[in-house]
Amino acid sequence: DCLDLAIDYYNNPTAFKQEMMNDASKIGEKWFKSNRTQSLKEIQEHTFVKNILVCDPANSISNKADFSAFAVGGLADNDFLYIKKGGLLKVGFDDFCNHVIKLLKDFPEVTHVSIEKNLYMGADVLKIKELISKDKDLINRKILFINKMQKKNKDEKISTIISDVNNGRIIFNEDDKDFVDQIMNFVGQEYSSHDDAPDAVAQLTIDIKEIEIIQHVSFMDIKKLF
């Protein structure tokens, strides 16, 4: 229908050219060429040395707004990074905080939560900590929060994960199709309809490197040496 096509075009010309006209030459080239996925069951069979949840809240729930992005990632002992769960939601403040709580329950191995500070200025972290303190399953979990302003250029940050995604060193959950599709459709910040998923994964690769692994020391009875 001509009217529907016109509405689609004027609401979002970039998305229209990508999806309806497949005109990549005028909007930029896709950055990601391939990806590797596994089932969550396969992913969880690995031994993980670090686990983190990265969240990037969006500023509204309107049709044109960005998505709130969530990525649960784990660095395995084989040095591969696994995105155990990637999600995109259009939610308000309370639902955002409640979804973080849900992910913490779904993935009890998560020790760190990174939330971009630009939108809620730390109010979401305070709310999530309050919810944790009232939850019998989470109150005794040691969960550390990373809450920083993000000022780095998104294109520069996302470019750092191109090789790892294309070569399968970052592995995704095969059930997170919308999340992976948004990454594969990324053509640069200026021309992409959304950049929430690739930005969240790029931030995850940065934050997970900052997690320190605490080595536990065990003592042996010296008498056993004689």
Side-chain angles (χ1 to χ4, degrees), residues 149-161:
M149 298 289 290
Q150 298 298 327
K151 299 179 181 179
K152 188 174 182 178
N153 179 276
K154 283 189 178 183
D155 280 355
E156 291 181 9
K157 183 165 64 173
I158 293 171
S159 69
T160 63
I161 65 170

Side-chain angles (χ1 to χ4, degrees), residues 20 46 67 104 114 136 159 161 206 212 214-216 226:
M20 301 296 295
H46 296 281
F67 292 90
L104 288 174
S114 173
K136 62 181 179 63
S159 69
I161 65 170
I206 295 170
E212 295 183 1
I214 306 299
Q215 301 290 347
H216 295 281
F226 302 98

Side-chain angles (χ1 to χ4, degrees), residues 15-26:
F16 180 89
K17 291 175 182 177
Q18 285 178 293
E19 298 172 15
M20 301 296 295
M21 299 176 66
N22 194 26
D23 187 7
S25 64
K26 290 184 175 59

Side-chain angles (χ1 to χ4, degrees), residues 22-189:
N22 194 26
D23 187 7
S25 64
K26 290 184 175 59
I27 58 172
E29 183 179 354
K30 291 182 179 180
W31 289 22
F32 299 94
K33 308 300 182 183
S34 63
N35 66 83
R36 182 182 173 191
T37 63
Q38 290 182 354
S39 69
L40 181 58
K41 181 180 179 180
E42 289 177 295
I43 290 174
Q44 292 289 46
E45 289 175 352
H46 296 281
T47 300
F48 291 94
V49 295
K50 299 180 182 181
N51 294 279
I52 190 171
L53 165 60
V54 171
C55 312
D56 181 7
N59 59 5
S60 79
I61 56 175
S62 68
N63 289 333
K64 293 183 180 180
D66 289 336
F67 292 90
S68 289
F70 305 85
V72 179
L75 180 66
D77 57 1
N78 61 7
D79 210 31
F80 280 66
L81 181 65
Y82 294 83
I83 307 301
K84 302 178 182 183
K85 181 64 183 175
L88 298 167
L89 297 175
K90 290 190 176 182
V91 291
F93 178 85
D94 288 336
D95 288 335
F96 173 85
C97 295
N98 288 329
H99 191 67
V100 172
I101 295 297
K102 179 183 183 303
L103 290 173
L104 288 174
K105 289 185 174 184
D106 289 343
F107 297 91
E109 66 271 25
V110 168
T111 59
H112 291 68
V113 178
S114 173
I115 301 178
E116 185 177 296
K117 194 175 183 178
N118 298 41
L119 178 60
Y120 294 126
M121 301 302 293
D124 45 359
V125 173
L126 293 176
K127 178 64 176 180
I128 292 164
K129 287 182 176 180
E130 178 186 342
L131 294 173
I132 289 174
S133 69
K134 296 177 180 178
D135 191 290
K136 62 181 179 63
D137 297 323
L138 298 176
I139 190 171
N140 294 319
R141 284 258 302 272
K142 185 177 181 181
I143 301 170
L144 301 179
F145 285 84
I146 303 168
N147 191 215
K148 297 179 181 178
M149 298 289 290
Q150 298 298 327
K151 299 179 181 179
K152 188 174 182 178
N153 179 276
K154 283 189 178 183
D155 280 355
E156 291 181 9
K157 183 165 64 173
I158 293 171
S159 69
T160 63
I161 65 170
I162 293 175
S163 176
D164 285 344
V165 171
N166 288 340
N167 293 307
R169 290 191 293 271
I170 296 178
I171 301 168
F172 299 91
N173 184 331
E174 64 185 15
D175 293 330
D176 298 332
K177 187 176 185 303
D178 290 344
F179 188 87
V180 176
D181 283 350
Q182 192 181 100
I183 294 173
M184 300 307 297
N185 289 327
F186 184 72
V187 291
Q189 183 181 359

